[in-house]
Amino acid sequence: MSTQKLATNALHAGHDTTQTGGTRAVPIYQTSSYVFRDTDHAAKLFSLGELGFIYTRLNNPTNQILQDRLAAVEGGVGAVVFASGTAAIATGLLTLLKAGDHIVASSSLYGGTFNLLNVTLPRLGITTTFVDAAHPENFEKAVQDNTRAIFVESLGNPKLDVLDLKAIATYANAAQVPFIVDNTVASPVLLNPIEHGANLVIHSLTKYIGGQGTSLGGAIIDAGTFDWTNGKFPEFTDPSAGYHGLVYSEALGAAAFTFKLILEGLRDFGGALSPFNAFQIIQGLETLPVRIKQHSANALELATWLEGRDEVAWVNYPGLKSSAYYDLAKEYLPKGQSGLVTFGIKGGFEAAQKVTDATKIFSLLANIGDTKSLIIHPASTTHQQLTAEQQEAAGVPQDLIRLSVGLEDIEDLKADLIQAFASL
Ligand SMILES: Cc1ncc(COP(=O)(O)O)c(C=O)c1O
């Protein structure tokens, strides 16, 4: 593992320039496949007798550099990248779980993840109990004999609840199941879940890490700390029918899950990241440490300003003293609380739609983490498919507007909101 600091790793980790013809930038290896020296070489690669590239669905040199860099910035033993954050979550859970297994998850999750756990995975026999993460002991109470994972977002989207990761990790440990933390909104610069007991960390690279809103991507970073031999995960200790008898825990030790994700998860579900997107995401990762601090500073200033506006019913930002999560933010997010702010507009659902329609700099779209400022009304869009109770649990009341505060001049952002409020 790298001993260098995060900002250095974000720029250099994983790239040995002597291996890429001296290119200072990470090159794009735009190839589907790799020429084997002969059939013996090919056989060795397939049997893991020698490590190397076989086919881009499994791995690719550009993607490998991104993987090594993400492992370095999050402090894991390995990372695997995917075509999107959703592909990372779905492939990760399907590689880990089987019909009959159970997940305990925070009820405050990105809407797509909630639907995956609530509707799609149950069709395959994998069920989830959603709990209010404000009371970490709820995770312990919801654990069943067949529980095989605890899943949370470190900073929930869009509830912006900061989770007490250390407390939840204790319950995951006691239940002997992996603690999986989606760290997309916080980013590795502001929070490293592995330091607080996470076993697997997930990112939608589409958001702050890519940063420019150009490319979808996702990743799973493996802390290498979970004991797959504890008896609950026979697929790691029995010979794998899916990979000619490989015993993952014996052959690959701490990297067992990383390899299973590649050898079975990517092979069978096929959600590989395009090397071109990996290249774009690498450009973003290189400047993430400076960008995310400015996103956080702009968001805090805008949230503070919104609190003083008559049109606004309430403001939610973990860096505000008025936030229920202020103390947890001080503990887990002391360097900044990222760029998302939510607020309620007086006048409810219709007023929220009006303001959202009227902004000119804030773009109305379904993404977060872009350098440009974004706005959405979740109750009518991203969380439309949820019932009223599910919307409430996810922290999405009807009047809520979500801002993803970008890097524009803060005075221009305030002026844009003032003219949008004037439409009421
Ligand atoms: C917290 C979080 N996790 C995962 C995802 C899914 O990522 P993607 O859109 O790259 O599939 C999102 C998307 O908004 C998200 O906000």
Side-chain angles (χ1 to χ4, degrees), residues 56-83:
T56 287
R57 173 150 40 77
L58 304 176
N59 209 349
N60 167 282
T62 310
N63 294 18
Q64 184 62 53
I65 291 170
L66 175 57
Q67 289 174 160
D68 289 346
R69 211 166 271 195
L70 289 168
V73 296
E74 278 290 15
V77 295
V80 182
V81 290
F82 299 86

PDB file of all heavy atoms in Angstrom, residues 56-83:
ATOM      1  N   THR A  56     -10.935  -7.000 -22.129  1.00  0.00           N
ATOM      2  CA  THR A  56     -11.254  -5.756 -21.406  1.00  0.00           C
ATOM      3  C   THR A  56     -12.508  -5.856 -20.550  1.00  0.00           C
ATOM      4  O   THR A  56     -12.705  -5.061 -19.641  1.00  0.00           O
ATOM      5  CB  THR A  56     -11.243  -4.556 -22.397  1.00  0.00           C
ATOM      6  OG1 THR A  56      -9.865  -4.293 -22.719  1.00  0.00           O
ATOM      7  CG2 THR A  56     -11.850  -3.292 -21.824  1.00  0.00           C
ATOM      8  N   ARG A  57     -13.340  -6.881 -20.777  1.00  0.00           N
ATOM      9  CA  ARG A  57     -14.465  -7.056 -19.841  1.00  0.00           C
ATOM     10  C   ARG A  57     -13.940  -7.364 -18.435  1.00  0.00           C
ATOM     11  O   ARG A  57     -14.585  -7.045 -17.441  1.00  0.00           O
ATOM     12  CB  ARG A  57     -15.419  -8.156 -20.326  1.00  0.00           C
ATOM     13  CG  ARG A  57     -16.502  -8.493 -19.301  1.00  0.00           C
ATOM     14  CD  ARG A  57     -17.811  -8.982 -19.902  1.00  0.00           C
ATOM     15  NE  ARG A  57     -17.671  -9.875 -21.017  1.00  0.00           N
ATOM     16  CZ  ARG A  57     -17.346 -11.168 -20.955  1.00  0.00           C
ATOM     17  NH1 ARG A  57     -17.110 -11.729 -19.784  1.00  0.00           N
ATOM     18  NH2 ARG A  57     -17.257 -11.893 -22.045  1.00  0.00           N
ATOM     19  N   LEU A  58     -12.745  -8.012 -18.362  1.00  0.00           N
ATOM     20  CA  LEU A  58     -12.168  -8.348 -17.061  1.00  0.00           C
ATOM     21  C   LEU A  58     -11.237  -7.250 -16.550  1.00  0.00           C
ATOM     22  O   LEU A  58     -11.254  -6.911 -15.373  1.00  0.00           O
ATOM     23  CB  LEU A  58     -11.384  -9.658 -17.148  1.00  0.00           C
ATOM     24  CG  LEU A  58     -12.164 -10.868 -17.660  1.00  0.00           C
ATOM     25  CD1 LEU A  58     -11.245 -12.066 -17.781  1.00  0.00           C
ATOM     26  CD2 LEU A  58     -13.325 -11.183 -16.724  1.00  0.00           C
ATOM     27  N   ASN A  59     -10.391  -6.770 -17.437  1.00  0.00           N
ATOM     28  CA  ASN A  59      -9.472  -5.715 -17.013  1.00  0.00           C
ATOM     29  C   ASN A  59      -8.819  -5.078 -18.225  1.00  0.00           C
ATOM     30  O   ASN A  59      -8.906  -5.616 -19.340  1.00  0.00           O
ATOM     31  CB  ASN A  59      -8.404  -6.271 -16.058  1.00  0.00           C
ATOM     32  CG  ASN A  59      -7.921  -5.193 -15.087  1.00  0.00           C
ATOM     33  OD1 ASN A  59      -8.230  -4.017 -15.256  1.00  0.00           O
ATOM     34  ND2 ASN A  59      -7.171  -5.604 -14.085  1.00  0.00           N
ATOM     35  N   ASN A  60      -8.149  -3.956 -17.966  1.00  0.00           N
ATOM     36  CA  ASN A  60      -7.572  -3.149 -19.034  1.00  0.00           C
ATOM     37  C   ASN A  60      -6.497  -2.281 -18.378  1.00  0.00           C
ATOM     38  O   ASN A  60      -6.678  -1.872 -17.226  1.00  0.00           O
ATOM     39  CB  ASN A  60      -8.707  -2.289 -19.636  1.00  0.00           C
ATOM     40  CG  ASN A  60      -8.203  -1.194 -20.527  1.00  0.00           C
ATOM     41  OD1 ASN A  60      -7.736  -0.159 -20.064  1.00  0.00           O
ATOM     42  ND2 ASN A  60      -8.304  -1.402 -21.820  1.00  0.00           N
ATOM     43  N   PRO A  61      -5.393  -1.984 -19.058  1.00  0.00           N
ATOM     44  CA  PRO A  61      -4.314  -1.221 -18.396  1.00  0.00           C
ATOM     45  C   PRO A  61      -4.746   0.169 -17.904  1.00  0.00           C
ATOM     46  O   PRO A  61      -4.308   0.607 -16.832  1.00  0.00           O
ATOM     47  CB  PRO A  61      -3.242  -1.104 -19.486  1.00  0.00           C
ATOM     48  CG  PRO A  61      -3.514  -2.242 -20.429  1.00  0.00           C
ATOM     49  CD  PRO A  61      -4.997  -2.456 -20.407  1.00  0.00           C
ATOM     50  N   THR A  62      -5.590   0.884 -18.651  1.00  0.00           N
ATOM     51  CA  THR A  62      -6.047   2.207 -18.172  1.00  0.00           C
ATOM     52  C   THR A  62      -6.911   2.014 -16.925  1.00  0.00           C
ATOM     53  O   THR A  62      -6.744   2.705 -15.913  1.00  0.00           O
ATOM     54  CB  THR A  62      -6.868   2.942 -19.263  1.00  0.00           C
ATOM     55  OG1 THR A  62      -6.133   2.919 -20.483  1.00  0.00           O
ATOM     56  CG2 THR A  62      -7.159   4.375 -18.864  1.00  0.00           C
ATOM     57  N   ASN A  63      -7.825   1.033 -17.019  1.00  0.00           N
ATOM     58  CA  ASN A  63      -8.708   0.767 -15.870  1.00  0.00           C
ATOM     59  C   ASN A  63      -7.884   0.330 -14.650  1.00  0.00           C
ATOM     60  O   ASN A  63      -8.214   0.693 -13.515  1.00  0.00           O
ATOM     61  CB  ASN A  63      -9.708  -0.331 -16.208  1.00  0.00           C
ATOM     62  CG  ASN A  63     -10.688   0.094 -17.294  1.00  0.00           C
ATOM     63  OD1 ASN A  63     -10.437   1.054 -18.015  1.00  0.00           O
ATOM     64  ND2 ASN A  63     -11.787  -0.617 -17.424  1.00  0.00           N
ATOM     65  N   GLN A  64      -6.810  -0.446 -14.891  1.00  0.00           N
ATOM     66  CA  GLN A  64      -5.993  -0.936 -13.778  1.00  0.00           C
ATOM     67  C   GLN A  64      -5.345   0.229 -13.032  1.00  0.00           C
ATOM     68  O   GLN A  64      -5.265   0.238 -11.803  1.00  0.00           O
ATOM     69  CB  GLN A  64      -4.916  -1.905 -14.287  1.00  0.00           C
ATOM     70  CG  GLN A  64      -4.069  -2.537 -13.184  1.00  0.00           C
ATOM     71  CD  GLN A  64      -4.909  -3.389 -12.224  1.00  0.00           C
ATOM     72  OE1 GLN A  64      -5.640  -4.278 -12.663  1.00  0.00           O
ATOM     73  NE2 GLN A  64      -4.811  -3.117 -10.928  1.00  0.00           N
ATOM     74  N   ILE A  65      -4.911   1.238 -13.779  1.00  0.00           N
ATOM     75  CA  ILE A  65      -4.294   2.409 -13.122  1.00  0.00           C
ATOM     76  C   ILE A  65      -5.350   3.116 -12.267  1.00  0.00           C
ATOM     77  O   ILE A  65      -5.093   3.484 -11.113  1.00  0.00           O
ATOM     78  CB  ILE A  65      -3.662   3.346 -14.180  1.00  0.00           C
ATOM     79  CG1 ILE A  65      -2.434   2.637 -14.785  1.00  0.00           C
ATOM     80  CG2 ILE A  65      -3.270   4.697 -13.558  1.00  0.00           C
ATOM     81  CD1 ILE A  65      -1.842   3.312 -16.004  1.00  0.00           C
ATOM     82  N   LEU A  66      -6.547   3.267 -12.813  1.00  0.00           N
ATOM     83  CA  LEU A  66      -7.626   3.887 -12.023  1.00  0.00           C
ATOM     84  C   LEU A  66      -7.919   3.051 -10.777  1.00  0.00           C
ATOM     85  O   LEU A  66      -8.107   3.585  -9.672  1.00  0.00           O
ATOM     86  CB  LEU A  66      -8.884   4.047 -12.890  1.00  0.00           C
ATOM     87  CG  LEU A  66     -10.139   4.580 -12.181  1.00  0.00           C
ATOM     88  CD1 LEU A  66      -9.891   5.941 -11.526  1.00  0.00           C
ATOM     89  CD2 LEU A  66     -11.309   4.676 -13.167  1.00  0.00           C
ATOM     90  N   GLN A  67      -7.942   1.716 -10.952  1.00  0.00           N
ATOM     91  CA  GLN A  67      -8.222   0.828  -9.809  1.00  0.00           C
ATOM     92  C   GLN A  67      -7.160   0.997  -8.726  1.00  0.00           C
ATOM     93  O   GLN A  67      -7.479   1.129  -7.534  1.00  0.00           O
ATOM     94  CB  GLN A  67      -8.295  -0.631 -10.284  1.00  0.00           C
ATOM     95  CG  GLN A  67      -9.550  -0.867 -11.112  1.00  0.00           C
ATOM     96  CD  GLN A  67      -9.661  -2.239 -11.767  1.00  0.00           C
ATOM     97  OE1 GLN A  67     -10.745  -2.647 -12.119  1.00  0.00           O
ATOM     98  NE2 GLN A  67      -8.564  -2.938 -11.958  1.00  0.00           N
ATOM     99  N   ASP A  68      -5.883   0.993  -9.137  1.00  0.00           N
ATOM    100  CA  ASP A  68      -4.805   1.121  -8.146  1.00  0.00           C
ATOM    101  C   ASP A  68      -4.871   2.482  -7.452  1.00  0.00           C
ATOM    102  O   ASP A  68      -4.608   2.611  -6.256  1.00  0.00           O
ATOM    103  CB  ASP A  68      -3.436   0.949  -8.821  1.00  0.00           C
ATOM    104  CG  ASP A  68      -3.214  -0.495  -9.247  1.00  0.00           C
ATOM    105  OD1 ASP A  68      -3.973  -1.382  -8.803  1.00  0.00           O
ATOM    106  OD2 ASP A  68      -2.286  -0.747 -10.048  1.00  0.00           O
ATOM    107  N   ARG A  69      -5.259   3.510  -8.219  1.00  0.00           N
ATOM    108  CA  ARG A  69      -5.318   4.854  -7.654  1.00  0.00           C
ATOM    109  C   ARG A  69      -6.459   4.957  -6.638  1.00  0.00           C
ATOM    110  O   ARG A  69      -6.317   5.549  -5.571  1.00  0.00           O
ATOM    111  CB  ARG A  69      -5.509   5.856  -8.795  1.00  0.00           C
ATOM    112  CG  ARG A  69      -4.885   7.169  -8.499  1.00  0.00           C
ATOM    113  CD  ARG A  69      -4.777   8.017  -9.717  1.00  0.00           C
ATOM    114  NE  ARG A  69      -3.529   7.803 -10.439  1.00  0.00           N
ATOM    115  CZ  ARG A  69      -3.045   8.602 -11.382  1.00  0.00           C
ATOM    116  NH1 ARG A  69      -3.720   9.675 -11.727  1.00  0.00           N
ATOM    117  NH2 ARG A  69      -1.910   8.342 -11.981  1.00  0.00           N
ATOM    118  N   LEU A  70      -7.598   4.355  -6.975  1.00  0.00           N
ATOM    119  CA  LEU A  70      -8.734   4.392  -6.044  1.00  0.00           C
ATOM    120  C   LEU A  70      -8.423   3.606  -4.776  1.00  0.00           C
ATOM    121  O   LEU A  70      -8.773   4.029  -3.670  1.00  0.00           O
ATOM    122  CB  LEU A  70      -9.983   3.827  -6.720  1.00  0.00           C
ATOM    123  CG  LEU A  70     -10.588   4.708  -7.809  1.00  0.00           C
ATOM    124  CD1 LEU A  70     -11.627   3.938  -8.619  1.00  0.00           C
ATOM    125  CD2 LEU A  70     -11.211   5.974  -7.208  1.00  0.00           C
ATOM    126  N   ALA A  71      -7.739   2.456  -4.943  1.00  0.00           N
ATOM    127  CA  ALA A  71      -7.360   1.674  -3.755  1.00  0.00           C
ATOM    128  C   ALA A  71      -6.435   2.512  -2.882  1.00  0.00           C
ATOM    129  O   ALA A  71      -6.563   2.524  -1.651  1.00  0.00           O
ATOM    130  CB  ALA A  71      -6.686   0.369  -4.175  1.00  0.00           C
ATOM    131  N   ALA A  72      -5.533   3.269  -3.507  1.00  0.00           N
ATOM    132  CA  ALA A  72      -4.584   4.083  -2.732  1.00  0.00           C
ATOM    133  C   ALA A  72      -5.311   5.214  -1.990  1.00  0.00           C
ATOM    134  O   ALA A  72      -5.039   5.463  -0.814  1.00  0.00           O
ATOM    135  CB  ALA A  72      -3.508   4.655  -3.648  1.00  0.00           C
ATOM    136  N   VAL A  73      -6.248   5.904  -2.661  1.00  0.00           N
ATOM    137  CA  VAL A  73      -6.885   7.051  -1.985  1.00  0.00           C
ATOM    138  C   VAL A  73      -7.887   6.616  -0.916  1.00  0.00           C
ATOM    139  O   VAL A  73      -8.138   7.358   0.026  1.00  0.00           O
ATOM    140  CB  VAL A  73      -7.550   8.065  -2.962  1.00  0.00           C
ATOM    141  CG1 VAL A  73      -6.512   8.715  -3.853  1.00  0.00           C
ATOM    142  CG2 VAL A  73      -8.666   7.447  -3.778  1.00  0.00           C
ATOM    143  N   GLU A  74      -8.449   5.409  -1.054  1.00  0.00           N
ATOM    144  CA  GLU A  74      -9.383   4.946  -0.008  1.00  0.00           C
ATOM    145  C   GLU A  74      -8.692   4.065   1.036  1.00  0.00           C
ATOM    146  O   GLU A  74      -9.268   3.756   2.068  1.00  0.00           O
ATOM    147  CB  GLU A  74     -10.564   4.173  -0.621  1.00  0.00           C
ATOM    148  CG  GLU A  74     -11.696   5.050  -1.161  1.00  0.00           C
ATOM    149  CD  GLU A  74     -12.520   5.763  -0.083  1.00  0.00           C
ATOM    150  OE1 GLU A  74     -12.093   5.834   1.084  1.00  0.00           O
ATOM    151  OE2 GLU A  74     -13.592   6.288  -0.433  1.00  0.00           O
ATOM    152  N   GLY A  75      -7.457   3.629   0.736  1.00  0.00           N
ATOM    153  CA  GLY A  75      -6.744   2.787   1.703  1.00  0.00           C
ATOM    154  C   GLY A  75      -7.165   1.318   1.658  1.00  0.00           C
ATOM    155  O   GLY A  75      -7.258   0.663   2.685  1.00  0.00           O
ATOM    156  N   GLY A  76      -7.427   0.795   0.443  1.00  0.00           N
ATOM    157  CA  GLY A  76      -7.800  -0.612   0.304  1.00  0.00           C
ATOM    158  C   GLY A  76      -6.676  -1.451  -0.285  1.00  0.00           C
ATOM    159  O   GLY A  76      -5.653  -0.919  -0.728  1.00  0.00           O
ATOM    160  N   VAL A  77      -6.878  -2.774  -0.302  1.00  0.00           N
ATOM    161  CA  VAL A  77      -5.876  -3.653  -0.917  1.00  0.00           C
ATOM    162  C   VAL A  77      -6.104  -3.795  -2.417  1.00  0.00           C
ATOM    163  O   VAL A  77      -5.229  -4.248  -3.149  1.00  0.00           O
ATOM    164  CB  VAL A  77      -5.856  -5.072  -0.292  1.00  0.00           C
ATOM    165  CG1 VAL A  77      -5.413  -5.020   1.158  1.00  0.00           C
ATOM    166  CG2 VAL A  77      -7.199  -5.780  -0.434  1.00  0.00           C
ATOM    167  N   GLY A  78      -7.297  -3.428  -2.873  1.00  0.00           N
ATOM    168  CA  GLY A  78      -7.585  -3.530  -4.300  1.00  0.00           C
ATOM    169  C   GLY A  78      -8.880  -2.807  -4.616  1.00  0.00           C
ATOM    170  O   GLY A  78      -9.649  -2.465  -3.715  1.00  0.00           O
ATOM    171  N   ALA A  79      -9.093  -2.572  -5.905  1.00  0.00           N
ATOM    172  CA  ALA A  79     -10.339  -1.927  -6.334  1.00  0.00           C
ATOM    173  C   ALA A  79     -10.711  -2.502  -7.694  1.00  0.00           C
ATOM    174  O   ALA A  79      -9.851  -2.975  -8.437  1.00  0.00           O
ATOM    175  CB  ALA A  79     -10.162  -0.417  -6.435  1.00  0.00           C
ATOM    176  N   VAL A  80     -11.995  -2.481  -7.990  1.00  0.00           N
ATOM    177  CA  VAL A  80     -12.490  -2.919  -9.296  1.00  0.00           C
ATOM    178  C   VAL A  80     -13.417  -1.829  -9.812  1.00  0.00           C
ATOM    179  O   VAL A  80     -14.245  -1.309  -9.049  1.00  0.00           O
ATOM    180  CB  VAL A  80     -13.247  -4.265  -9.197  1.00  0.00           C
ATOM    181  CG1 VAL A  80     -13.707  -4.721 -10.576  1.00  0.00           C
ATOM    182  CG2 VAL A  80     -12.359  -5.333  -8.561  1.00  0.00           C
ATOM    183  N   VAL A  81     -13.259  -1.485 -11.097  1.00  0.00           N
ATOM    184  CA  VAL A  81     -14.125  -0.431 -11.650  1.00  0.00           C
ATOM    185  C   VAL A  81     -15.196  -1.031 -12.552  1.00  0.00           C
ATOM    186  O   VAL A  81     -15.027  -2.120 -13.120  1.00  0.00           O
ATOM    187  CB  VAL A  81     -13.311   0.655 -12.403  1.00  0.00           C
ATOM    188  CG1 VAL A  81     -12.493   1.473 -11.426  1.00  0.00           C
ATOM    189  CG2 VAL A  81     -12.451   0.055 -13.508  1.00  0.00           C
ATOM    190  N   PHE A  82     -16.297  -0.290 -12.679  1.00  0.00           N
ATOM    191  CA  PHE A  82     -17.489  -0.761 -13.396  1.00  0.00           C
ATOM    192  C   PHE A  82     -18.036   0.353 -14.282  1.00  0.00           C
ATOM    193  O   PHE A  82     -17.652   1.515 -14.145  1.00  0.00           O
ATOM    194  CB  PHE A  82     -18.569  -1.191 -12.391  1.00  0.00           C
ATOM    195  CG  PHE A  82     -18.141  -2.322 -11.498  1.00  0.00           C
ATOM    196  CD1 PHE A  82     -17.444  -2.072 -10.322  1.00  0.00           C
ATOM    197  CD2 PHE A  82     -18.398  -3.649 -11.852  1.00  0.00           C
ATOM    198  CE1 PHE A  82     -17.030  -3.115  -9.500  1.00  0.00           C
ATOM    199  CE2 PHE A  82     -17.987  -4.691 -11.037  1.00  0.00           C
ATOM    200  CZ  PHE A  82     -17.297  -4.422  -9.864  1.00  0.00           C
ATOM    201  N   ALA A  83     -19.012  -0.030 -15.111  1.00  0.00           N
ATOM    202  CA  ALA A  83     -19.582   0.914 -16.078  1.00  0.00           C
ATOM    203  C   ALA A  83     -20.351   2.055 -15.425  1.00  0.00           C
ATOM    204  O   ALA A  83     -20.548   3.097 -16.040  1.00  0.00           O
ATOM    205  CB  ALA A  83     -20.499   0.164 -17.046  1.00  0.00           C
TER     206      ALA A  83
END
